[in-house]
Amino acid sequence: MKKFNIRKVLDGLKEQASSSASSGQSGTQENNLMQETLQSENFQLCKTVRHGFPYQPSSMAHDPVQKILAIGTQSGALRLFGRPGVECYCQHESGAAVISLQFLINEGALVSALADDSVHLWNLRQKRPAILHSLKFNRERITFVHLPFQSKWLYIGTEKGNIHIVNVESFTLSGYVIMWNKAIELSSKAHPGPVVHISDNPMDEGKLIIGYESGIVVLWDLKSKKADYRYTYDEAIHSVAWHHEGKQFTCSHSDGTLTIWNIKGQGKPFQTITPHGKQPKDGKKPEPCKPILKVEYKTTRLGDPFMILSGGLSYDTVGRRPCLTVMHGKSTAVLEMDYPIVDFLTLCETPYPNDFQEPYAVVVLLEKDLVVIDLAQNGYPIFENPYPLTIHESPVTCCEYYADCPVDLIPALYSVGSRQKRQGYSKKEWPISGGNWGLGTQSYPEIIITGHADGTVKFWDASAIMLQVLYKLKTAKVFEKSRNNKEEKQNTEIVDEDPFAIQIMAWCPESRMLCVAGVSANLIIYRFSKQEITTEVVQLLEVRLQYEVNDMESPPEGGGGGDRDLPTPGAASPSPQTTGPPTHPSTSSNSSDGVRDNVPCLKVRSTPLKQSPGYQVDLVVQLVWVSGEPPQQITSLALNSSYGLIVFGNSNGLAVVDYLQKTVLLNLGTVELYGSNDPYQRQPRSPRKTRQPSGGLCDINEGSASEDRCKSPTSDHRDNSFSRSRSSSVTSIDKEAREAITSFHFCETFARKGDSTITPCLYVGTSLGTVLAVALNLPPAGEQRLLQPVIVLPSGTLGRLKGSILRMAFLDNTGTFLPPAFELWYEPNAVGADSEERDKARKRRPVSVSPSTSQELQESQYAVVCSEKQAKVIALPSLNCIFKHSITETSFVLRADVVQMNIGNCVACFCANGHIMTLSLPGLRPLLDVNYLPLTDMRIARTFCFTNLGQAMYLTSPTEIQRITYSQETCENLQEMLGELFTPVETPEAPNRGFFKGLFGGGATSLDREELFGEMQAGKASRGLAQHIPGPQGLEGMKGAASGVVADLARARIALDERGQKLGELDERTAAMLASADSFGKHAHDMMLKCKDKKWYQF
């Protein structure tokens, strides 16, 4: 006798007759009808570009000839910047902090020194820079690195006080070592401390100045291998700067003083300055100040020299912001910065240290910003920064990414955003102007939208792997600023900090309608307008969303108004208000027993609101406290511009809002959506029990749910790795757990099983894996739409999956993607003839793509549903599951999107275990599965987005966006799209020594370093001191696409390019020499003709 298994019976019912046998048969049948165009060869995953400010910067360097800037970070990242749009990101494998960067000026190479005592040589002559050589020190810690201009010998100072010399061509150590005990006085018993500075005399390459932390400075003669002079000061040294004539140098000290020394006057400093110290009248030493961390001394041919320094402020300036001080002649300018200064560099006209520097700008690297100051204009204005470095101006809380947008969208956003720009910038062009743009073949518009903790929303143009801010919207303007009334704040607000933070955004690019949901359980609906208006009263709807079935039968009186009438399941919506929505209803703050009720978390402003061109508030919707329980945060949101509807849900239920008539159409608890067909045994929950987490991403975290409930989405403790266990069975439910609404999809489809016609519908997905339908009965377009009510009718369950529903989409019977209906944008504030055009546009109901009416096919549409665990394709209207795929058993999907590629559609998924996957449609065949991120944190989970045409993005750090592609075509074209950092530029001519300096000496003297540091003279270095590690031969950028023969071809092509470039330079030099020889011959001939008839005494 066959054993009876009740679980199989339940599973059979749950899958609605989609058992493996039947789904296999129907799948084969459907696959024959719909040929899938996408194959696994169409997919490849690679990083494209990183935007934003380098997170936790630690060092900086500038190439004055190539005009490019390099920034190193504490995590071993390297960011290179050229002209606006030319950026590059590299990463040291060890992840150790970058402590120093040195360009090989105009050579297309960069040296980086790391905190793990390794030194690396980067080749910048390729679009994706790669390490050519590395050297790892074993016995000594690196503290300072110096590479003289046009030298191949690199000086490395260590914590022990020694200096080692490295040949940057071969990356081998020289046997020449400057030992600390040889450099200091023999009679000195104390160790001088680590090396904090090395530089050669601008006028004499054979003389090296070495600064030790303790305050000792040594002038070292490289040829004689001994110290010429020693300079001692009783305060620790932080930096040293030369005068260009090589006769004086300046030191900055830990007590806020600057000492200026003559190189031949070693007894005491020639001058001591305390820039920010109060000078006592009795001639005593000024009060000590904070350390001057860096000083630079730059000369000009015609005017006074510049002395620029960071730090050195008086200790009594408590709370003062970090400053950069510019001393020029008798004037001292103190420039306040928004963040602590990491490093600064002065940009000069010449790369030669022995010439007048002619400084024109200062690049200041701050902890969270990059500022460039114009030294040539009065008041030292800053340059307008063209790089997208303000992503983190307020912490990013959510992102959306749209590819292939309407072509008029970016110009429209740019035109309103350009009016928001600050004034008072320098009139000069941005000075970091090196490199060349790539030849981008991608021409479709891309837009990234970021939501922030302070309530701002930023729109970015992300086309052609660049990023530029278009427009900034401040949503907090809609609300009253919170006063410091602690009692009131505790009673109404549901987050400890950032009450205006953006949680979810819904945007319709075609109609330009925008809806944002905030953490304080509020929604704001915006329209786009090119005209300025003043809104006298911001229109407001208040909604009671509650979980308790018992309470819903008798809502409390007062404060609710008609908007909060709760329709019974299956009933039509309440009739719309004829008097319009309540602007600010008289909310009853407390009921008779002191319980807070009907109160929103934020107060909408009551004064007129001036709205500039751009996004303008149309309606505010707020959830209110219910019987002493705060509103739950919104977990899902959708808008449809064709229907004029917004829908939002949380762990209590959902509400449908008609934003044209400004009414609430439906307000239901999740339980009531099921009607009498609820499959779960639930118990009503008392409103006084501990608050549950708000669903969505909150229950991904470890820790107490009630504690997380009250934290802002920017809280640091959210950035831990995931830990969640969830019952995989959807047939059992914890009696206390709530079923949250997790996703929505508006569509024109079948509302019930067996329907013969398609109608406007709303599909709803829940956290227990259920998909439910809500039918929408819309009045005719035009005036009738504004007068007649919209009928909203829940129409039952469509299917069930494991895990929360994340995404739904629809295909027609040929497998073509069916986008939701939309309305085209019109000017909402139009007058006269423009308003007639607007009315015409509004009367045209946009025609959504309807399915084929072919009678041959039994099914007309296919619903694609993706949950945290699996994906299904369901045939409509029969509701048969024709394809099913289990995405993950051990992890869960964080983000899923149905995306359109060039030649078809697919489902793209990002899992909590770091895997990125794509599935074919409608067959759900796995096409790509890459373990991309080994450890995923909360920030990445919150910001990861897929979009059409194989693009995706996420926030890789609090300040940086990482863009990736999963399209093979984009990966292949990426090399062409990337910009070039290195461009062939002639090195400026060396300064002219002048007749008398050449005759009598006194100009710069050169040094044959090759002879001095080479193996013949200096011998071999100690074998165990450092280990040489060869790089991957500079083909790092091609390793993703190239292997074997392809790599050899690519290598040969690079070699040919460089050879061609060198031959071109050789041709130019030959031509110049020929011209010079012709000129010399002509002059000699003229001289001969002039002198041939003269006698010797006539000369």
Side-chain angles (χ1 to χ4, degrees):
M1 183 180 171
K2 193 174 180 181
K3 192 176 179 182
F4 179 77
N5 191 332
I6 192 158
R7 186 180 292 174
K8 285 186 178 177
V9 176
L10 288 170
D11 283 347
L13 288 169
K14 186 179 71 180
E15 296 301 335
Q16 299 189 354
S18 63
S19 65
S20 57
S22 63
S23 73
Q25 289 165 9
S26 60
T28 310
Q29 179 189 344
E30 299 299 336
N31 222 12
N32 293 336
L33 297 169
M34 290 178 283
Q35 191 66 40
E36 290 182 0
T37 50
L38 285 173
Q39 303 299 324
S40 57
E41 301 84 64
N42 302 121
F43 294 92
Q44 183 187 333
L45 193 71
C46 71
K47 292 180 180 180
T48 52
V49 67
R50 184 174 290 203
H51 303 294
F53 182 76
Y55 183 56
Q56 294 180 330
S58 54
S59 57
M60 179 171 60
H62 178 251
D63 186 325
V65 181
Q66 287 287 321
K67 295 193 181 320
I68 54 176
L69 186 76
I71 295 174
T73 74
Q74 291 181 26
S75 59
L78 203 57
R79 292 284 298 279
L80 296 138
F81 297 91
R83 66 178 62 192
V86 178
E87 289 182 42
C88 184
Y89 158 75
C90 317
Q91 177 70 46
H92 293 91
E93 276 188 23
S94 69
V98 181
I99 57 171
S100 181
L101 292 169
Q102 295 278 316
F103 273 104
L104 277 70
I105 293 170
N106 205 26
E107 294 288 334
L110 176 74
V111 172
S112 59
L114 272 56
D116 66 353
D117 310 308
S118 60
V119 188
H120 308 270
L121 178 66
W122 290 85
N123 177 17
L124 308 183
R125 289 182 179 237
Q126 55 195 58
K127 290 190 172 183
R128 288 213 159 166
I131 292 174
L132 292 172
H133 297 283
S134 298
L135 200 64
K136 178 82 168 69
F137 281 75
N138 299 322
R139 298 184 198 153
E140 299 199 45
R141 307 295 317 264
I142 297 171
T143 56
F144 196 86
V145 174
H146 170 63
L147 180 67
F149 178 46
Q150 293 183 324
S151 166
K152 68 173 185 180
W153 297 95
L154 176 77
Y155 300 108
I156 295 177
T158 69
E159 198 171 54
K160 286 185 178 177
N162 303 324
I163 294 173
H164 300 280
I165 299 163
V166 174
N167 183 326
V168 289
E169 287 179 356
S170 61
F171 243 57
T172 53
L173 272 172
S174 164
Y176 192 115
V177 182
I178 304 171
M179 303 299 285
W180 67 270
N181 53 354
K182 299 272 182 68
I184 63 167
E185 294 274 6
L186 292 172
S187 57
S188 174
K189 292 179 182 177
H191 189 277
V195 175
V196 294
H197 182 84
I198 309 167
S199 60
D200 44 358
N201 186 322
M203 285 295 178
D204 187 353
E205 293 174 352
K207 299 287 197 286
L208 200 66
I209 209 155
I210 306 162
Y212 292 98
E213 192 180 66
S214 63
I216 297 169
V217 177
V218 175
L219 187 68
W220 182 265
D221 188 316
L222 289 166
K223 281 184 179 175
S224 63
K225 300 183 183 179
K226 64 177 186 182
D228 278 358
Y229 299 102
R230 297 180 180 90
Y231 316 87
T232 307
Y233 193 70
D234 54 3
E235 291 291 339
I237 289 176
H238 285 278
S239 72
V240 182
W242 278 104
H243 186 284
H244 86 271
E245 288 184 341
K247 293 176 181 174
Q248 285 186 334
F249 62 89
T250 304
C251 300
S252 72
H253 298 277
S254 57
D255 63 345
T257 58
L258 295 171
T259 53
I260 300 170
W261 302 78
N262 288 326
I263 59 167
K264 292 186 178 176
Q266 53 180 332
K268 61 178 184 176
F270 163 73
Q271 191 180 358
T272 303
I273 310 166
T274 311
H276 297 286
K278 292 175 183 173
Q279 298 290 339
K281 291 177 183 177
D282 53 5
K284 290 181 181 175
K285 278 183 78 173
E287 291 177 11
C289 295
K290 293 174 185 174
I292 296 175
L293 300 175
K294 185 173 182 180
V295 63
E296 289 204 343
Y297 187 94
K298 302 295 177 185
T299 52
T300 57
R301 203 173 293 276
L302 300 174
D304 293 313
F306 282 86
M307 200 180 283
I308 302 157
L309 53 112
S310 62
L313 291 180
S314 172
Y315 279 105
D316 60 9
T317 53
V318 179
R320 189 167 179 180
R321 293 192 293 182
C323 293
L324 187 84
T325 306
V326 181
M327 299 165 72
H328 184 226
K330 292 181 180 177
S331 73
T332 300
V334 180
L335 310 174
E336 287 196 343
M337 302 291 155
D338 291 335
Y339 305 102
I341 296 169
V342 175
D343 196 3
F344 73 87
L345 293 169
T346 310
L347 306 189
C348 301
E349 296 289 354
T350 178
Y352 293 93
N354 58 348
D355 195 8
F356 288 97
Q357 270 89 49
E358 305 295 346
Y360 59 89
V362 183
V363 183
V364 190
L365 179 63
L366 308 176
E367 277 186 7
K368 292 185 180 179
D369 203 1
L370 182 74
V371 176
V372 183
I373 298 159
D374 186 351
L375 289 178
Q377 283 188 42
N378 288 335
Y380 305 130
I382 64 168
F383 288 86
E384 184 177 7
N385 197 322
Y387 305 136
L389 302 183
T390 57
I391 291 166
H392 63 286
E393 204 168 22
S394 170
V396 176
T397 51
C398 58
C399 298
E400 292 298 334
Y401 189 7
Y402 300 86
D404 211 9
C405 301
V407 290
D408 59 345
L409 200 50
I410 288 174
L413 288 164
Y414 182 79
S415 67
V416 294
S418 58
R419 304 177 196 187
Q420 299 177 326
K421 288 190 175 175
R422 276 177 48 190
Q423 302 299 314
Y425 289 114
S426 167
K427 295 179 175 63
K428 292 184 179 176
E429 285 192 7
W430 182 249
I432 301 156
S433 56
N436 283 325
W437 292 305
L439 304 169
T441 52
Q442 281 181 204
S443 56
Y444 51 85
E446 297 173 73
I447 290 176
I448 290 172
I449 309 177
T450 54
H452 299 261
D454 63 355
T456 54
V457 175
K458 288 182 185 176
F459 291 78
W460 304 82
D461 176 5
S463 310
I465 69 168
M466 293 189 186
L467 195 72
Q468 180 185 7
V469 71
L470 291 169
Y471 173 71
K472 183 177 172 180
L473 170 67
K474 295 180 179 177
T475 65
K477 284 183 177 178
V478 176
F479 302 103
E480 299 277 4
K481 288 183 179 175
S482 58
R483 299 186 186 93
N484 293 329
N485 186 338
K486 286 187 180 176
E487 188 181 338
E488 187 182 335
K489 198 169 180 181
Q490 285 168 357
N491 283 339
T492 59
E493 290 188 8
I494 56 171
V495 288
D496 293 344
E497 53 191 21
D498 303 317
F500 307 116
I502 307 295
Q503 193 156 17
I504 313 173
M505 299 177 289
W507 188 50
C508 174
E510 289 79 13
S511 67
R512 304 182 192 171
M513 290 295 299
L514 173 70
C515 183
V516 296
V519 290
S520 298
N522 58 283
L523 282 177
I524 313 173
I525 299 155
Y526 288 92
R527 288 184 182 275
F528 185 86
S529 172
K530 293 180 179 179
Q531 298 178 12
E532 185 176 295
I533 58 164
T534 300
T535 306
E536 292 300 322
V537 179
V538 176
Q539 294 188 303
L540 169 67
L541 287 176
E542 290 183 352
V543 179
R544 287 172 71 94
L545 257 185
Q546 55 196 118
Y547 182 76
E548 291 71 30
V549 180
N550 297 343
D551 287 355
M552 286 196 174
E553 290 165 4
S554 54
E557 295 180 16
D563 294 330
R564 288 188 285 274
D565 289 348
L566 300 166
T568 53
S573 74
S575 58
Q577 298 169 319
T578 51
T579 55
T583 51
H584 300 284
S586 55
T587 55
S588 61
S589 296
N590 296 303
S591 57
S592 56
D593 61 350
V595 175
R596 190 155 286 279
D597 195 49
N598 283 341
V599 184
C601 302
L602 299 173
K603 190 176 179 184
V604 174
R605 65 184 289 163
S606 52
T607 52
L609 177 64
K610 183 183 174 183
Q611 305 208 65
S612 304
Y615 275 101
Q616 299 171 348
V617 180
D618 190 53
L619 178 67
V620 178
V621 182
Q622 287 186 294
L623 294 180
V624 294
W625 287 62
V626 177
S627 307
E629 177 150 315
Q632 299 290 302
Q633 289 180 350
I634 293 163
T635 56
S636 50
L637 172 68
L639 79 85
N640 188 285
S641 57
S642 175
Y643 308 155
L645 301 179
I646 291 279
V647 60
F648 61 94
N650 62 13
S651 57
N652 286 344
L654 66 85
V656 181
V657 173
D658 180 343
Y659 65 78
L660 298 176
Q661 295 185 23
K662 311 288 191 287
T663 55
V664 178
L665 301 175
L666 187 71
N667 179 352
L668 284 182
T670 317
V671 182
E672 292 181 297
L673 276 172
Y674 289 95
S676 58
N677 300 321
D678 187 1
Y680 304 119
Q681 300 279 318
R682 306 178 207 249
Q683 289 183 357
R685 199 176 63 83
S686 164
R688 296 301 169 86
K689 288 190 181 176
T690 313
R691 297 204 295 262
Q692 296 292 317
S694 59
L697 286 172
C698 292
D699 55 347
I700 292 174
N701 274 312
E702 296 175 294
S704 127
S706 58
E707 192 176 279
D708 276 4
R709 173 70 187 79
C710 295
K711 293 290 181 187
S712 148
T714 58
S715 298
D716 289 337
H717 77 281
R718 284 182 169 269
D719 281 354
N720 51 16
S721 56
F722 293 112
S723 172
R724 167 165 69 170
S725 64
R726 184 181 276 179
S727 168
S728 61
S729 169
V730 290
T731 54
S732 62
I733 177 175
D734 179 357
K735 290 176 183 176
E736 283 290 331
R738 294 184 181 187
E739 184 174 12
I741 305 293
T742 55
S743 63
F744 295 112
H745 190 80
F746 283 105
C747 48
E748 299 208 358
T749 186
F750 302 95
R752 293 176 185 81
K753 182 176 182 177
D755 274 8
S756 57
T757 56
I758 61 168
T759 54
C761 288
L762 168 67
Y763 272 38
V764 181
T766 75
S767 58
L768 293 178
T770 309
V771 180
L772 304 121
V774 177
L776 308 171
N777 191 344
L778 298 160
E783 288 182 21
Q784 295 296 312
R785 173 65 183 83
L786 300 175
L787 298 173
Q788 294 183 24
V790 177
I791 311 298
V792 182
L793 212 62
S795 53
T797 307
L798 296 169
R800 219 165 270 127
L801 283 78
K802 287 183 182 178
S804 292
I805 304 295
L806 298 178
R807 191 68 61 201
M808 296 172 280
F810 287 81
L811 309 175
D812 70 7
N813 54 13
T814 63
T816 307
F817 180 73
L818 289 175
F822 57 82
E823 182 179 68
L824 292 173
W825 177 77
Y826 60 87
E827 175 53 67
N829 302 318
V831 288
D834 291 337
S835 64
E836 290 175 21
E837 287 291 321
R838 179 191 70 185
D839 293 339
K840 282 181 189 173
R842 295 196 61 175
K843 282 173 187 171
R844 282 198 312 270
R845 168 65 60 79
V847 182
S848 64
V849 184
S850 58
S852 166
T853 54
S854 168
Q855 296 301 312
E856 295 172 20
L857 299 170
Q858 294 178 342
E859 308 296 359
S860 296
Q861 283 186 356
Y862 301 97
V864 182
V865 186
C866 188
S867 77
E868 291 177 318
K869 294 285 186 182
Q870 59 183 183
K872 283 186 182 181
V873 174
I874 300 166
L876 301 174
S878 69
L879 298 188
N880 287 330
C881 174
I882 60 166
F883 293 108
K884 181 172 77 171
H885 177 72
S886 177
I887 299 169
T888 176
E889 290 293 337
T890 54
S891 185
F892 55 95
V893 179
L894 289 168
R895 176 84 184 207
D897 287 286
V898 175
V899 292
Q900 294 169 273
M901 304 292 280
N902 279 333
I903 56 168
N905 310 307
C906 67
V907 179
C909 305
F910 173 58
C911 283
N913 59 9
H915 280 252
I916 290 177
M917 293 176 250
T918 60
L919 306 172
S920 71
L921 282 177
L924 300 179
R925 290 181 299 111
L927 298 173
L928 175 79
D929 186 352
V930 177
N931 186 5
Y932 175 68
L933 287 167
L935 179 69
T936 301
D937 64 21
M938 195 66 196
R939 180 184 54 254
I940 295 172
R942 197 171 55 232
T943 58
F944 199 101
C945 317
F946 292 102
T947 188
N948 294 334
L949 301 168
Q951 308 294 334
M953 62 148 282
Y954 59 93
L955 228 71
T956 186
S957 75
T959 63
E960 294 166 294
I961 284 174
Q962 177 68 56
R963 287 165 69 179
I964 61 174
T965 182
Y966 48 96
S967 157
Q968 170 70 29
E969 186 185 353
T970 308
C971 286
E972 286 175 356
N973 295 331
L974 186 60
Q975 200 68 13
E976 288 177 19
M977 293 161 63
L978 293 171
E980 287 180 296
L981 283 166
F982 180 78
T983 50
V985 180
E986 285 244 352
T987 303
E989 282 189 19
N992 192 352
R993 292 173 69 186
F995 177 73
F996 289 104
K997 281 189 178 177
L999 199 61
F1000 303 112
T1005 57
S1006 59
L1007 171 76
D1008 188 350
R1009 293 191 181 95
E1010 185 69 45
E1011 184 187 336
L1012 198 61
F1013 303 144
E1015 200 173 306
M1016 293 286 288
Q1017 184 78 19
K1020 287 187 177 180
S1022 170
R1023 184 172 289 180
L1025 183 63
Q1027 177 190 355
H1028 177 255
I1029 306 159
Q1033 303 307 315
L1035 283 167
E1036 184 77 15
M1038 298 182 185
K1039 73 177 180 186
S1043 60
V1045 177
V1046 183
D1048 292 335
L1049 286 170
R1051 196 182 296 118
R1053 195 180 72 188
I1054 288 173
L1056 280 171
D1057 286 349
E1058 291 196 356
R1059 187 169 173 232
Q1061 185 183 312
K1062 285 175 182 172
L1063 285 170
E1065 289 173 4
L1066 190 63
D1067 281 350
E1068 286 172 16
R1069 284 183 199 153
T1070 308
M1073 284 170 72
L1074 280 169
S1076 177
D1078 285 348
S1079 173
F1080 181 75
K1082 189 182 173 187
H1083 280 296
H1085 184 68
D1086 289 348
M1087 200 75 169
M1088 184 267 291
L1089 292 173
K1090 194 174 179 182
C1091 303
K1092 77 174 181 180
D1093 294 329
K1094 289 189 180 182
K1095 305 293 181 187
W1096 65 269
Y1097 51 81
Q1098 290 177 312
F1099 284 106

